Amino acid sequence: MGKRKCVFAILLMASLVVMAGCTEITANDPIANKTGPTHHQEQTTEKSLKKEDPKQIVVKVIDPRTKSIVRTIQPSEMGFHTDKEKYRKELERWAKELARGTETTPGIDQRMVLDRIDENGQIMKGKPQVILKESELVEKVMEASVNGGEVELPIYVTESGYKPEDIPNLDDVVLSSFSTYFNSGVVGRSKNIELSAQAINNVIVGVNDIFSFNTMVGPGTAENGYQPAKEIINKKLVDGIGGGICQTSSTLFNSIDQLGVKYIEWHNHSLSIGYVPAGRDATVAYGVKDFRFQNTTGVPLLIKTIYGKGKLTVEIRTSAEYQALYAQGH
């Protein structure tokens, strides 16, 4: 009886092992897995379908300042998969409009409005330069058009290149100076010179800052106090509002030109003028022609204008410390 019990126990254990083996085989049996795909399999399938179906690809362009969606692009509808060059040109056109604006919509790009010092020695803040890099935006969207996703607008903001501690000493020394003369008896023209000179007085031009005459002075309109006076338009001397503003811009040019700055925009009059030598003028017309230069001297500058009876002087100043630094570089 002892041997029978032993054999029975061995057979029972063997039976259990076989049953366990059957259970394991059943669990791995393909037939048993027909209950449906796993979550991972579903995700893989969705991704595969998205890649196979270009219509499912979407690119969202985000403004990093507000986190809002500027535009939702469906590459397939714009011809990305059929004519990439045409698609790129359409993106370039859109990026240009977005950066520079249209007749009805302002663009993202913004010229720097330089800071100035008021009568109390306090800083009157302007605005930083804002630039949307158009080519970078186009490349980012092109890359994202393959699989879709989000693209942030490549916006670069540049503050003025000076330090607050520079302010008390920026008018220490005169680096350059230039004067022009006018008939103070011509009231309208004299007033226009005075107003435009005041608009650029005590303006700080930091290192690598770009100065824009039109941005700092604004429109020479009657609403801004400008008066009728003679001005040159299309090689003719005619009456107009704001005549005389160009004498201020030309006086500034002849002063700043002594420092070897980089010119961004500079135009001459169509007729010779009497207050500066031929070819030494800088004509401006708001919204049409501007006088712009970049401060490449390596030191922050301060523009000072001195308006008197029949005379306008523009001085470019800096601190004594920076004067030595400027001298080393020049």
Side-chain angles (χ1 to χ4, degrees), residues 22-323:
C22 289
T23 303
E24 187 174 347
I25 292 171
T26 303
N28 291 326
D29 191 342
I31 297 175
N33 281 332
K34 289 187 177 182
T35 56
T38 64
H39 178 66
H40 175 71
Q41 289 171 324
E42 287 178 349
Q43 287 185 323
T44 303
T45 303
E46 287 177 6
K47 289 180 180 179
S48 299
L49 287 174
K50 191 173 184 180
K51 287 182 179 180
E52 292 172 1
D53 185 2
K55 294 181 180 180
Q56 300 296 318
I57 295 175
V58 173
V59 178
K60 293 182 179 179
V61 182
I62 310 295
D63 188 327
R65 302 168 298 179
T66 62
K67 304 303 179 184
S68 59
I69 299 175
V70 176
R71 183 177 178 181
T72 299
I73 298 173
Q74 291 183 294
S76 63
E77 291 187 0
M78 293 176 60
F80 173 71
H81 299 91
T82 55
D83 191 339
K84 281 188 172 59
E85 190 58 31
K86 183 179 179 181
Y87 179 70
R88 177 185 289 276
K89 288 186 180 300
E90 176 59 25
L91 290 180
E92 289 173 348
R93 184 196 63 77
W94 167 67
K96 181 178 179 180
E97 286 187 356
L98 190 63
R100 308 178 199 185
T102 64
E103 292 182 358
T104 57
T105 306
I108 290 175
D109 288 359
Q110 176 180 281
R111 287 183 179 177
M112 181 179 288
V113 178
L114 298 174
D115 298 351
R116 67 171 70 239
I117 303 174
D118 66 15
E119 296 177 354
N120 300 315
Q122 301 300 310
I123 297 296
M124 296 174 61
K125 292 296 293 180
K127 295 179 180 178
Q129 180 190 59
V130 180
I131 296 293
L132 170 64
K133 290 292 183 68
E134 299 169 31
S135 59
E136 186 177 341
L137 173 59
V138 171
E139 292 306 319
K140 283 186 172 184
V141 174
M142 288 293 293
E143 291 175 8
S145 297
V146 177
N147 295 315
E150 293 185 352
V151 169
E152 283 196 348
L153 293 174
I155 296 175
Y156 295 85
V157 179
T158 305
E159 299 286 348
S160 183
Y162 76 93
K163 296 176 289 187
E165 54 267 32
D166 294 335
I167 301 306
N169 303 313
L170 272 184
D171 64 348
D172 282 354
V173 293
V174 178
L175 289 179
S176 65
S177 178
F178 194 85
S179 298
T180 58
Y181 301 86
F182 54 91
N183 184 352
S184 59
V186 182
V187 178
R189 194 169 189 281
S190 298
K191 187 62 178 178
N192 296 339
I193 293 173
E194 180 183 12
L195 289 175
S196 55
Q198 288 175 349
I200 63 172
N201 186 42
N202 280 331
V203 168
I204 304 165
V205 189
V207 177
N208 292 322
D209 285 0
I210 294 176
F211 173 93
S212 162
F213 188 87
N214 285 345
T215 299
M216 299 310 300
V217 174
T221 61
E223 290 78 9
N224 289 333
Y226 289 90
Q227 299 182 14
K230 294 291 184 181
E231 57 183 348
I232 299 172
I233 298 179
N234 295 327
K235 297 184 179 182
K236 294 181 180 180
L237 194 61
V238 299
D239 290 320
I241 301 294
I245 292 176
C246 290
Q247 181 156 347
T248 302
S249 58
S250 295
T251 308
L252 170 63
F253 162 72
N254 280 275
S255 186
I256 199 70
D257 191 53
Q258 299 174 42
L259 304 182
V261 298
K262 177 183 178 181
Y263 295 112
I264 307 299
E265 185 177 353
W266 171 34
H267 307 274
N268 294 125
H269 284 84
S270 56
L271 293 177
S272 61
I273 53 178
Y275 49 80
V276 293
R280 300 294 299 169
D281 59 310
T283 182
V284 292
Y286 192 84
V288 181
K289 295 179 179 180
D290 198 358
F291 172 48
R292 293 189 291 154
F293 65 85
Q294 185 174 27
N295 177 11
T296 53
T297 65
V299 300
L301 306 172
L302 181 69
I303 299 174
K304 293 286 289 188
T305 60
I306 304 165
Y307 174 87
K309 187 176 181 180
K311 181 181 179 181
L312 172 66
T313 300
V314 175
E315 297 177 343
I316 308 299
R317 300 187 172 209
T318 194
S319 68
E321 176 187 355
Y322 285 129
Q323 181 190 30

